[in-house]
Amino acid sequence: MAGLMLGMLLGSSSLQAHPHHWIDVFAEWQFDTKGLISGVKLRWLFDDYYSVLLVDDAVTTGEELQAILNKILSNTAKHHYFLQIEHEGGEASLGTHEQATIGVQNHRIEIEFLLPITVPLDPRHSDIVYQIAEPTYYFEMLHAEESPVIVLKDAPPSCRYRLEPPKPDAALVAYAASLGVNESGGDGLGIQFAETVTIRCE
């Protein structure tokens, strides 16, 4: 059962549906000495039930949690780590994850990793807009409610961010809710339920 429920994060394609699991997201946007954004450190905190599935799967297969982490990052890398960053009318290019760790916080699995931004972004020249979403909406990914959840590390004093909640229409919500555990709404469903965050520096 544990292996069956791991879904996209561990590479299974048979389970894609409306949210059956939840991930609390934390984001630390890192500024360099020139005021440019050079990377983002993401922290994902999985719901209790999925955390149990991950641990059980590790025990069943004889793998260490580090191996589970490697699988998660390998598979999410194919989807740009579920992160979309828009700047100056285009999508920012991300490097390969670094400094990846996995642990347990209050019985919940937590992973953290740094994503370098290939060409640093200037938020003074144009707003930076990002969304985080698992494409099929099997996982709902929202910024955590606790503070601080979004950090602008070493940012100039004029930098701010604005978080807008998702606004799917009633028909889309009903469609997502109608999907069974073995049904998929396609890779474009999750982004419809994503928060939108804008980073701006005056």
Side-chain angles (χ1 to χ4, degrees), residues 42-201:
L42 295 176
R43 181 157 59 98
W44 295 353
L45 191 59
F46 295 91
D47 66 73
D48 297 71
Y49 182 52
Y50 191 76
S51 296
V52 170
L53 294 176
L54 283 174
V55 173
D56 285 352
D57 189 71
V59 171
T60 301
T61 61
E63 292 184 292
E64 298 291 335
L65 283 179
Q66 183 63 41
I68 297 293
L69 172 64
N70 293 341
K71 282 187 177 180
I72 290 174
L73 293 176
S74 175
N75 283 292
T76 57
K78 302 171 186 176
H79 301 273
H80 308 287
Y81 304 93
F82 301 158
L83 175 63
Q84 294 184 15
I85 308 172
E86 293 184 4
H87 183 245
E88 297 184 337
E91 188 168 348
S93 177
L94 300 172
T96 304
H97 63 268
E98 302 174 359
Q99 304 173 21
T101 61
I102 186 168
V104 180
Q105 180 184 164
N106 297 325
H107 310 291
R108 298 174 65 183
I109 292 292
E110 176 184 72
I111 69 172
E112 183 176 87
F113 55 97
L114 173 67
L115 293 177
I117 295 174
T118 306
V119 179
L121 309 175
D122 189 347
R124 295 163 298 189
H125 188 268
S126 178
D127 289 352
I128 293 167
V129 180
Y130 78 89
Q131 295 177 300
I132 300 176
E134 188 276 300
T136 69
Y137 200 43
Y138 188 81
F139 288 81
E140 181 176 69
M141 302 182 71
L142 299 174
H143 290 83
E145 294 183 357
E146 60 193 84
S147 182
V149 64
I150 300 174
V151 174
L152 306 182
K153 185 178 180 182
D154 297 324
S158 63
C159 296
R160 301 287 186 273
Y161 72 84
R162 181 180 73 254
L163 186 152
E164 299 176 52
K167 298 177 182 178
D169 60 35
L172 188 61
V173 173
Y175 170 67
S178 73
L179 293 170
V181 69
N182 292 314
E183 295 180 298
S184 172
D187 282 355
L189 184 60
I191 201 69
Q192 305 300 317
F193 293 86
E195 297 166 320
T196 301
V197 179
T198 301
I199 299 174
R200 173 180 297 176
C201 298

